[in-house]
Amino acid sequence: MSWREFTQRNIEDSWTAYINADASLQETCHTLQDKRLHILPVLDRNSNQVVDILTHARIFRFVYTRLQALQGRHREWLEQLLDMTAFELGIGTYSNILTFNYSSTVASAANAFFEKKISYLPIVDENGGLVDLYNRSEILQYYFESLDLAMNITIYDAIHARRKTRPHLPVCKKTSSLKEVFDIFRETRLHRVFFVDEMKRIVGVISLRDIFHAFL
């Protein structure tokens, strides 16, 4: 995949749909899910202008914050639900999880981003332990900053061409409660959280898309 192909596919992937400003929250969520979008422009039909950009993360934080205000039996139901684990509820993926290592090429990562419709790739070491996350937007940043970067360079070289430090990686265990998982999503800009074992090997992953699918 060339830089031209990557950027063109990214633009097409991001702007293939929109939602009207007067659409319901449920309709907005279904549009994000059904079209497997990462972002959804909000269009004001009177001015024909984009007035906002919605994502799974923004909607999740809005809804989760509102749920904290529930009272009475609705509050009790919510607390019981949040005490359960994502694994118990069957939310997420727990087998055949795609991983990369630092020696993988940027080109292979670019293909995975579009074939799998994901925004983050887990980077593991030689023992399978999670050491980093590679974000689709990082590839675009390299391109738009006009860095002399070929698609066949390694992910390690691409990451360290502009990063100075390794980011903190919020993770969970399969025994973590749904509340713990939700709190990570609320406090970070991540769209997926990985479950790891005691050796930091990936044993599962849950995305905001998984959560929307489970509760819509």
Side-chain angles (χ1 to χ4, degrees), residues 66-107:
R66 297 305 184 276
L67 286 175
Q68 305 307 305
L70 288 177
Q71 301 295 328
R73 68 170 184 264
H74 297 295
R75 181 71 183 185
E76 293 177 6
W77 171 85
L78 177 65
E79 290 178 349
Q80 291 174 1
L81 175 68
L82 294 179
D83 280 341
M84 300 181 70
T85 68
F87 183 71
E88 288 176 308
L89 294 168
I91 305 173
T93 301
Y94 300 92
S95 62
N96 301 318
I97 299 170
L98 180 67
T99 62
F100 282 73
N101 53 54
Y102 278 134
S103 63
S104 303
T105 65
V106 170

mmCIF file of all heavy atoms in Angstrom, residues 66-107:
data_model
loop_
_atom_site.group_PDB
_atom_site.id
_atom_site.type_symbol
_atom_site.label_atom_id
_atom_site.label_comp_id
_atom_site.label_asym_id
_atom_site.label_seq_id
_atom_site.Cartn_x
_atom_site.Cartn_y
_atom_site.Cartn_z
ATOM 1 N N ARG A 66 -24.376 9.987 32.463
ATOM 2 C CA ARG A 66 -25.793 10.105 32.803
ATOM 3 C C ARG A 66 -26.273 8.914 33.629
ATOM 4 O O ARG A 66 -27.127 9.051 34.504
ATOM 5 C CB ARG A 66 -26.648 10.219 31.524
ATOM 6 C CG ARG A 66 -26.383 11.447 30.662
ATOM 7 C CD ARG A 66 -26.518 12.740 31.413
ATOM 8 N NE ARG A 66 -26.365 13.933 30.618
ATOM 9 C CZ ARG A 66 -25.200 14.492 30.308
ATOM 10 N NH1 ARG A 66 -24.051 13.905 30.645
ATOM 11 N NH2 ARG A 66 -25.157 15.639 29.657
ATOM 12 N N LEU A 67 -25.731 7.742 33.355
ATOM 13 C CA LEU A 67 -26.143 6.542 34.095
ATOM 14 C C LEU A 67 -25.775 6.640 35.572
ATOM 15 O O LEU A 67 -26.440 6.028 36.422
ATOM 16 C CB LEU A 67 -25.493 5.295 33.485
ATOM 17 C CG LEU A 67 -26.065 4.813 32.150
ATOM 18 C CD1 LEU A 67 -25.234 3.652 31.615
ATOM 19 C CD2 LEU A 67 -27.528 4.397 32.298
ATOM 20 N N GLN A 68 -24.715 7.393 35.883
ATOM 21 C CA GLN A 68 -24.303 7.518 37.281
ATOM 22 C C GLN A 68 -25.356 8.220 38.130
ATOM 23 O O GLN A 68 -25.343 8.118 39.358
ATOM 24 C CB GLN A 68 -22.985 8.300 37.369
ATOM 25 C CG GLN A 68 -21.849 7.749 36.531
ATOM 26 C CD GLN A 68 -21.589 6.277 36.775
ATOM 27 O OE1 GLN A 68 -21.368 5.847 37.904
ATOM 28 N NE2 GLN A 68 -21.628 5.490 35.718
ATOM 29 N N ALA A 69 -26.273 8.926 37.484
ATOM 30 C CA ALA A 69 -27.305 9.671 38.220
ATOM 31 C C ALA A 69 -28.554 8.833 38.490
ATOM 32 O O ALA A 69 -29.497 9.324 39.118
ATOM 33 C CB ALA A 69 -27.683 10.931 37.440
ATOM 34 N N LEU A 70 -28.588 7.588 38.025
ATOM 35 C CA LEU A 70 -29.763 6.742 38.258
ATOM 36 C C LEU A 70 -29.986 6.523 39.748
ATOM 37 O O LEU A 70 -29.037 6.433 40.533
ATOM 38 C CB LEU A 70 -29.578 5.391 37.558
ATOM 39 C CG LEU A 70 -29.669 5.382 36.036
ATOM 40 C CD1 LEU A 70 -29.386 3.988 35.510
ATOM 41 C CD2 LEU A 70 -31.047 5.859 35.566
ATOM 42 N N GLN A 71 -31.246 6.401 40.137
ATOM 43 C CA GLN A 71 -31.610 6.189 41.541
ATOM 44 C C GLN A 71 -32.532 4.987 41.658
ATOM 45 O O GLN A 71 -33.047 4.467 40.667
ATOM 46 C CB GLN A 71 -32.304 7.448 42.095
ATOM 47 C CG GLN A 71 -31.486 8.718 42.041
ATOM 48 C CD GLN A 71 -30.259 8.658 42.928
ATOM 49 O OE1 GLN A 71 -30.284 8.007 43.993
ATOM 50 N NE2 GLN A 71 -29.176 9.318 42.532
ATOM 51 N N GLY A 72 -32.756 4.535 42.907
ATOM 52 C CA GLY A 72 -33.713 3.477 43.189
ATOM 53 C C GLY A 72 -33.336 2.146 42.569
ATOM 54 O O GLY A 72 -32.171 1.767 42.508
ATOM 55 N N ARG A 73 -34.364 1.426 42.103
ATOM 56 C CA ARG A 73 -34.121 0.086 41.579
ATOM 57 C C ARG A 73 -33.301 0.112 40.294
ATOM 58 O O ARG A 73 -32.603 -0.854 39.983
ATOM 59 C CB ARG A 73 -35.441 -0.652 41.352
ATOM 60 C CG ARG A 73 -36.306 -0.103 40.231
ATOM 61 C CD ARG A 73 -37.446 -1.076 39.948
ATOM 62 N NE ARG A 73 -38.271 -0.663 38.834
ATOM 63 C CZ ARG A 73 -39.394 0.009 38.961
ATOM 64 N NH1 ARG A 73 -39.826 0.355 40.163
ATOM 65 N NH2 ARG A 73 -40.104 0.352 37.888
ATOM 66 N N HIS A 74 -33.370 1.235 39.550
ATOM 67 C CA HIS A 74 -32.551 1.351 38.345
ATOM 68 C C HIS A 74 -31.068 1.414 38.721
ATOM 69 O O HIS A 74 -30.217 0.853 38.032
ATOM 70 C CB HIS A 74 -32.949 2.599 37.551
ATOM 71 C CG HIS A 74 -34.354 2.565 37.043
ATOM 72 N ND1 HIS A 74 -34.778 1.640 36.110
ATOM 73 C CD2 HIS A 74 -35.443 3.325 37.346
ATOM 74 C CE1 HIS A 74 -36.058 1.832 35.849
ATOM 75 N NE2 HIS A 74 -36.483 2.838 36.588
ATOM 76 N N ARG A 75 -30.789 2.079 39.830
ATOM 77 C CA ARG A 75 -29.406 2.160 40.316
ATOM 78 C C ARG A 75 -28.913 0.789 40.752
ATOM 79 O O ARG A 75 -27.770 0.408 40.477
ATOM 80 C CB ARG A 75 -29.324 3.150 41.479
ATOM 81 C CG ARG A 75 -27.920 3.328 42.053
ATOM 82 C CD ARG A 75 -27.032 4.087 41.105
ATOM 83 N NE ARG A 75 -25.679 4.209 41.607
ATOM 84 C CZ ARG A 75 -24.738 4.918 41.009
ATOM 85 N NH1 ARG A 75 -25.017 5.564 39.878
ATOM 86 N NH2 ARG A 75 -23.530 4.980 41.504
ATOM 87 N N GLU A 76 -29.774 0.044 41.435
ATOM 88 C CA GLU A 76 -29.407 -1.298 41.883
ATOM 89 C C GLU A 76 -29.121 -2.200 40.686
ATOM 90 O O GLU A 76 -28.169 -2.981 40.698
ATOM 91 C CB GLU A 76 -30.536 -1.894 42.729
ATOM 92 C CG GLU A 76 -30.756 -1.179 44.054
ATOM 93 C CD GLU A 76 -31.929 -1.742 44.821
ATOM 94 O OE1 GLU A 76 -32.490 -2.771 44.363
ATOM 95 O OE2 GLU A 76 -32.302 -1.171 45.859
ATOM 96 N N TRP A 77 -29.952 -2.096 39.644
ATOM 97 C CA TRP A 77 -29.742 -2.894 38.427
ATOM 98 C C TRP A 77 -28.414 -2.543 37.786
ATOM 99 O O TRP A 77 -27.662 -3.422 37.365
ATOM 100 C CB TRP A 77 -30.879 -2.640 37.454
ATOM 101 C CG TRP A 77 -30.641 -3.240 36.090
ATOM 102 C CD1 TRP A 77 -30.897 -4.519 35.698
ATOM 103 C CD2 TRP A 77 -30.061 -2.582 34.956
ATOM 104 N NE1 TRP A 77 -30.518 -4.706 34.381
ATOM 105 C CE2 TRP A 77 -29.999 -3.532 33.906
ATOM 106 C CE3 TRP A 77 -29.594 -1.292 34.727
ATOM 107 C CZ2 TRP A 77 -29.481 -3.220 32.643
ATOM 108 C CZ3 TRP A 77 -29.076 -0.974 33.475
ATOM 109 C CH2 TRP A 77 -29.026 -1.937 32.457
ATOM 110 N N LEU A 78 -28.104 -1.245 37.721
ATOM 111 C CA LEU A 78 -26.858 -0.801 37.110
ATOM 112 C C LEU A 78 -25.651 -1.327 37.882
ATOM 113 O O LEU A 78 -24.686 -1.818 37.285
ATOM 114 C CB LEU A 78 -26.814 0.735 37.054
ATOM 115 C CG LEU A 78 -25.518 1.337 36.499
ATOM 116 C CD1 LEU A 78 -25.336 0.953 35.036
ATOM 117 C CD2 LEU A 78 -25.526 2.867 36.662
ATOM 118 N N GLU A 79 -25.699 -1.252 39.203
ATOM 119 C CA GLU A 79 -24.571 -1.710 40.011
ATOM 120 C C GLU A 79 -24.359 -3.215 39.866
ATOM 121 O O GLU A 79 -23.218 -3.684 39.827
ATOM 122 C CB GLU A 79 -24.800 -1.322 41.478
ATOM 123 C CG GLU A 79 -24.701 0.188 41.713
ATOM 124 C CD GLU A 79 -24.965 0.568 43.151
ATOM 125 O OE1 GLU A 79 -25.425 -0.313 43.930
ATOM 126 O OE2 GLU A 79 -24.711 1.732 43.517
ATOM 127 N N GLN A 80 -25.444 -3.977 39.795
ATOM 128 C CA GLN A 80 -25.325 -5.420 39.588
ATOM 129 C C GLN A 80 -24.686 -5.727 38.237
ATOM 130 O O GLN A 80 -23.843 -6.614 38.120
ATOM 131 C CB GLN A 80 -26.708 -6.076 39.680
ATOM 132 C CG GLN A 80 -27.311 -6.072 41.073
ATOM 133 C CD GLN A 80 -28.731 -6.602 41.103
ATOM 134 O OE1 GLN A 80 -29.280 -7.000 40.069
ATOM 135 N NE2 GLN A 80 -29.340 -6.616 42.280
ATOM 136 N N LEU A 81 -25.093 -4.981 37.229
ATOM 137 C CA LEU A 81 -24.533 -5.171 35.896
ATOM 138 C C LEU A 81 -23.036 -4.831 35.878
ATOM 139 O O LEU A 81 -22.225 -5.601 35.356
ATOM 140 C CB LEU A 81 -25.270 -4.299 34.878
ATOM 141 C CG LEU A 81 -24.704 -4.302 33.449
ATOM 142 C CD1 LEU A 81 -24.903 -5.670 32.801
ATOM 143 C CD2 LEU A 81 -25.375 -3.205 32.611
ATOM 144 N N LEU A 82 -22.671 -3.712 36.478
ATOM 145 C CA LEU A 82 -21.279 -3.259 36.444
ATOM 146 C C LEU A 82 -20.357 -4.131 37.302
ATOM 147 O O LEU A 82 -19.144 -4.112 37.119
ATOM 148 C CB LEU A 82 -21.186 -1.797 36.900
ATOM 149 C CG LEU A 82 -21.863 -0.774 35.988
ATOM 150 C CD1 LEU A 82 -21.719 0.634 36.560
ATOM 151 C CD2 LEU A 82 -21.282 -0.837 34.580
ATOM 152 N N ASP A 83 -20.933 -4.897 38.224
ATOM 153 C CA ASP A 83 -20.124 -5.817 39.033
ATOM 154 C C ASP A 83 -19.737 -7.073 38.247
ATOM 155 O O ASP A 83 -18.802 -7.784 38.634
ATOM 156 C CB ASP A 83 -20.887 -6.239 40.296
ATOM 157 C CG ASP A 83 -20.811 -5.168 41.382
ATOM 158 O OD1 ASP A 83 -19.911 -4.303 41.302
ATOM 159 O OD2 ASP A 83 -21.666 -5.188 42.291
ATOM 160 N N MET A 84 -20.442 -7.348 37.158
ATOM 161 C CA MET A 84 -20.130 -8.509 36.328
ATOM 162 C C MET A 84 -18.918 -8.199 35.450
ATOM 163 O O MET A 84 -18.494 -7.053 35.318
ATOM 164 C CB MET A 84 -21.335 -8.888 35.467
ATOM 165 C CG MET A 84 -22.583 -9.235 36.247
ATOM 166 S SD MET A 84 -23.969 -9.711 35.189
ATOM 167 C CE MET A 84 -23.406 -11.293 34.578
ATOM 168 N N THR A 85 -18.335 -9.251 34.873
ATOM 169 C CA THR A 85 -17.188 -9.054 33.982
ATOM 170 C C THR A 85 -17.658 -9.095 32.528
ATOM 171 O O THR A 85 -18.690 -9.685 32.206
ATOM 172 C CB THR A 85 -16.126 -10.142 34.187
ATOM 173 O OG1 THR A 85 -16.640 -11.407 33.725
ATOM 174 C CG2 THR A 85 -15.729 -10.259 35.654
ATOM 175 N N ALA A 86 -16.872 -8.451 31.683
ATOM 176 C CA ALA A 86 -17.173 -8.489 30.253
ATOM 177 C C ALA A 86 -17.129 -9.922 29.742
ATOM 178 O O ALA A 86 -17.925 -10.309 28.880
ATOM 179 C CB ALA A 86 -16.186 -7.609 29.484
ATOM 180 N N PHE A 87 -16.215 -10.725 30.296
ATOM 181 C CA PHE A 87 -16.083 -12.114 29.881
ATOM 182 C C PHE A 87 -17.348 -12.894 30.220
ATOM 183 O O PHE A 87 -17.849 -13.683 29.404
ATOM 184 C CB PHE A 87 -14.864 -12.746 30.561
ATOM 185 C CG PHE A 87 -14.603 -14.161 30.152
ATOM 186 C CD1 PHE A 87 -14.140 -14.453 28.876
ATOM 187 C CD2 PHE A 87 -14.819 -15.209 31.030
ATOM 188 C CE1 PHE A 87 -13.898 -15.760 28.482
ATOM 189 C CE2 PHE A 87 -14.580 -16.524 30.652
ATOM 190 C CZ PHE A 87 -14.117 -16.801 29.372
ATOM 191 N N GLU A 88 -17.897 -12.669 31.420
ATOM 192 C CA GLU A 88 -19.143 -13.337 31.825
ATOM 193 C C GLU A 88 -20.289 -12.967 30.893
ATOM 194 O O GLU A 88 -21.137 -13.798 30.567
ATOM 195 C CB GLU A 88 -19.523 -12.930 33.249
ATOM 196 C CG GLU A 88 -18.665 -13.510 34.341
ATOM 197 C CD GLU A 88 -19.053 -12.989 35.700
ATOM 198 O OE1 GLU A 88 -19.140 -11.753 35.867
ATOM 199 O OE2 GLU A 88 -19.287 -13.813 36.607
ATOM 200 N N LEU A 89 -20.314 -11.711 30.474
ATOM 201 C CA LEU A 89 -21.404 -11.213 29.636
ATOM 202 C C LEU A 89 -21.184 -11.505 28.154
ATOM 203 O O LEU A 89 -22.055 -11.222 27.328
ATOM 204 C CB LEU A 89 -21.552 -9.701 29.837
ATOM 205 C CG LEU A 89 -22.017 -9.268 31.239
ATOM 206 C CD1 LEU A 89 -21.839 -7.760 31.411
ATOM 207 C CD2 LEU A 89 -23.482 -9.660 31.448
ATOM 208 N N GLY A 90 -20.029 -12.057 27.825
ATOM 209 C CA GLY A 90 -19.743 -12.383 26.435
ATOM 210 C C GLY A 90 -19.472 -11.167 25.566
ATOM 211 O O GLY A 90 -19.714 -11.191 24.363
ATOM 212 N N ILE A 91 -18.963 -10.091 26.190
ATOM 213 C CA ILE A 91 -18.665 -8.870 25.445
ATOM 214 C C ILE A 91 -17.167 -8.812 25.178
ATOM 215 O O ILE A 91 -16.362 -8.854 26.117
ATOM 216 C CB ILE A 91 -19.101 -7.619 26.224
ATOM 217 C CG1 ILE A 91 -20.575 -7.712 26.612
ATOM 218 C CG2 ILE A 91 -18.859 -6.358 25.393
ATOM 219 C CD1 ILE A 91 -21.040 -6.586 27.525
ATOM 220 N N GLY A 92 -16.789 -8.733 23.926
ATOM 221 C CA GLY A 92 -15.369 -8.679 23.581
ATOM 222 C C GLY A 92 -14.944 -9.905 22.795
ATOM 223 O O GLY A 92 -15.748 -10.772 22.447
ATOM 224 N N THR A 93 -13.642 -9.985 22.530
ATOM 225 C CA THR A 93 -13.055 -11.085 21.773
ATOM 226 C C THR A 93 -11.981 -11.745 22.633
ATOM 227 O O THR A 93 -11.141 -11.051 23.226
ATOM 228 C CB THR A 93 -12.425 -10.574 20.463
ATOM 229 O OG1 THR A 93 -13.434 -9.933 19.687
ATOM 230 C CG2 THR A 93 -11.815 -11.716 19.662
ATOM 231 N N TYR A 94 -11.985 -13.075 22.665
ATOM 232 C CA TYR A 94 -11.073 -13.790 23.553
ATOM 233 C C TYR A 94 -10.285 -14.883 22.832
ATOM 234 O O TYR A 94 -9.718 -15.769 23.472
ATOM 235 C CB TYR A 94 -11.855 -14.355 24.744
ATOM 236 C CG TYR A 94 -12.530 -13.255 25.533
ATOM 237 C CD1 TYR A 94 -13.841 -12.864 25.244
ATOM 238 C CD2 TYR A 94 -11.840 -12.564 26.517
ATOM 239 C CE1 TYR A 94 -14.442 -11.825 25.929
ATOM 240 C CE2 TYR A 94 -12.433 -11.524 27.211
ATOM 241 C CZ TYR A 94 -13.731 -11.155 26.911
ATOM 242 O OH TYR A 94 -14.318 -10.107 27.592
ATOM 243 N N SER A 95 -10.243 -14.818 21.520
ATOM 244 C CA SER A 95 -9.439 -15.761 20.746
ATOM 245 C C SER A 95 -9.077 -15.121 19.409
ATOM 246 O O SER A 95 -9.751 -14.176 18.963
ATOM 247 C CB SER A 95 -10.195 -17.074 20.507
ATOM 248 O OG SER A 95 -11.384 -16.846 19.751
ATOM 249 N N ASN A 96 -8.011 -15.633 18.796
ATOM 250 C CA ASN A 96 -7.571 -15.168 17.472
ATOM 251 C C ASN A 96 -7.409 -13.641 17.423
ATOM 252 O O ASN A 96 -7.885 -12.970 16.507
ATOM 253 C CB ASN A 96 -8.552 -15.611 16.385
ATOM 254 C CG ASN A 96 -8.705 -17.115 16.317
ATOM 255 O OD1 ASN A 96 -7.732 -17.850 16.415
ATOM 256 N ND2 ASN A 96 -9.938 -17.573 16.162
ATOM 257 N N ILE A 97 -6.744 -13.091 18.422
ATOM 258 C CA ILE A 97 -6.532 -11.645 18.500
ATOM 259 C C ILE A 97 -5.307 -11.260 17.669
ATOM 260 O O ILE A 97 -4.217 -11.821 17.847
ATOM 261 C CB ILE A 97 -6.357 -11.197 19.959
ATOM 262 C CG1 ILE A 97 -7.631 -11.526 20.748
ATOM 263 C CG2 ILE A 97 -6.048 -9.701 20.039
ATOM 264 C CD1 ILE A 97 -7.493 -11.351 22.236
ATOM 265 N N LEU A 98 -5.487 -10.335 16.769
ATOM 266 C CA LEU A 98 -4.423 -9.897 15.882
ATOM 267 C C LEU A 98 -3.381 -9.098 16.663
ATOM 268 O O LEU A 98 -3.720 -8.146 17.373
ATOM 269 C CB LEU A 98 -5.004 -9.025 14.762
ATOM 270 C CG LEU A 98 -4.015 -8.470 13.735
ATOM 271 C CD1 LEU A 98 -3.428 -9.596 12.896
ATOM 272 C CD2 LEU A 98 -4.717 -7.438 12.845
ATOM 273 N N THR A 99 -2.115 -9.487 16.537
ATOM 274 C CA THR A 99 -1.030 -8.755 17.185
ATOM 275 C C THR A 99 0.097 -8.505 16.191
ATOM 276 O O THR A 99 0.230 -9.204 15.186
ATOM 277 C CB THR A 99 -0.455 -9.533 18.392
ATOM 278 O OG1 THR A 99 0.095 -10.773 17.939
ATOM 279 C CG2 THR A 99 -1.524 -9.798 19.444
ATOM 280 N N PHE A 100 0.905 -7.499 16.491
ATOM 281 C CA PHE A 100 2.081 -7.176 15.694
ATOM 282 C C PHE A 100 3.275 -7.051 16.626
ATOM 283 O O PHE A 100 3.118 -6.992 17.847
ATOM 284 C CB PHE A 100 1.872 -5.858 14.935
ATOM 285 C CG PHE A 100 1.001 -5.993 13.713
ATOM 286 C CD1 PHE A 100 -0.372 -6.174 13.833
ATOM 287 C CD2 PHE A 100 1.549 -5.942 12.440
ATOM 288 C CE1 PHE A 100 -1.176 -6.308 12.712
ATOM 289 C CE2 PHE A 100 0.753 -6.074 11.318
ATOM 290 C CZ PHE A 100 -0.602 -6.257 11.456
ATOM 291 N N ASN A 101 4.461 -7.007 16.049
ATOM 292 C CA ASN A 101 5.648 -6.720 16.840
ATOM 293 C C ASN A 101 6.379 -5.533 16.229
ATOM 294 O O ASN A 101 6.024 -5.055 15.153
ATOM 295 C CB ASN A 101 6.566 -7.951 16.957
ATOM 296 C CG ASN A 101 6.898 -8.545 15.603
ATOM 297 O OD1 ASN A 101 7.384 -7.854 14.715
ATOM 298 N ND2 ASN A 101 6.628 -9.840 15.441
ATOM 299 N N TYR A 102 7.409 -5.055 16.922
ATOM 300 C CA TYR A 102 8.107 -3.859 16.464
ATOM 301 C C TYR A 102 8.762 -4.043 15.099
ATOM 302 O O TYR A 102 8.997 -3.077 14.380
ATOM 303 C CB TYR A 102 9.169 -3.450 17.478
ATOM 304 C CG TYR A 102 8.643 -2.656 18.645
ATOM 305 C CD1 TYR A 102 9.033 -2.960 19.954
ATOM 306 C CD2 TYR A 102 7.793 -1.572 18.452
ATOM 307 C CE1 TYR A 102 8.583 -2.209 21.028
ATOM 308 C CE2 TYR A 102 7.329 -0.828 19.525
ATOM 309 C CZ TYR A 102 7.732 -1.139 20.807
ATOM 310 O OH TYR A 102 7.286 -0.393 21.868
ATOM 311 N N SER A 103 9.062 -5.285 14.731
ATOM 312 C CA SER A 103 9.725 -5.524 13.443
ATOM 313 C C SER A 103 8.747 -5.597 12.276
ATOM 314 O O SER A 103 9.161 -5.656 11.117
ATOM 315 C CB SER A 103 10.551 -6.814 13.507
ATOM 316 O OG SER A 103 9.711 -7.938 13.739
ATOM 317 N N SER A 104 7.434 -5.597 12.562
ATOM 318 C CA SER A 104 6.442 -5.581 11.488
ATOM 319 C C SER A 104 6.532 -4.257 10.726
ATOM 320 O O SER A 104 6.963 -3.237 11.274
ATOM 321 C CB SER A 104 5.032 -5.731 12.064
ATOM 322 O OG SER A 104 4.898 -6.914 12.829
ATOM 323 N N THR A 105 6.132 -4.268 9.473
ATOM 324 C CA THR A 105 6.242 -3.052 8.664
ATOM 325 C C THR A 105 5.020 -2.154 8.822
ATOM 326 O O THR A 105 3.934 -2.622 9.189
ATOM 327 C CB THR A 105 6.389 -3.390 7.168
ATOM 328 O OG1 THR A 105 5.188 -4.026 6.715
ATOM 329 C CG2 THR A 105 7.598 -4.283 6.929
ATOM 330 N N VAL A 106 5.214 -0.883 8.543
ATOM 331 C CA VAL A 106 4.107 0.070 8.555
ATOM 332 C C VAL A 106 3.059 -0.339 7.514
ATOM 333 O O VAL A 106 1.861 -0.200 7.737
ATOM 334 C CB VAL A 106 4.624 1.497 8.284
ATOM 335 C CG1 VAL A 106 3.465 2.462 8.042
ATOM 336 C CG2 VAL A 106 5.479 1.975 9.454
ATOM 337 N N ALA A 107 3.511 -0.858 6.368
ATOM 338 C CA ALA A 107 2.585 -1.284 5.322
ATOM 339 C C ALA A 107 1.653 -2.382 5.820
ATOM 340 O O ALA A 107 0.446 -2.355 5.547
ATOM 341 C CB ALA A 107 3.363 -1.763 4.101
#
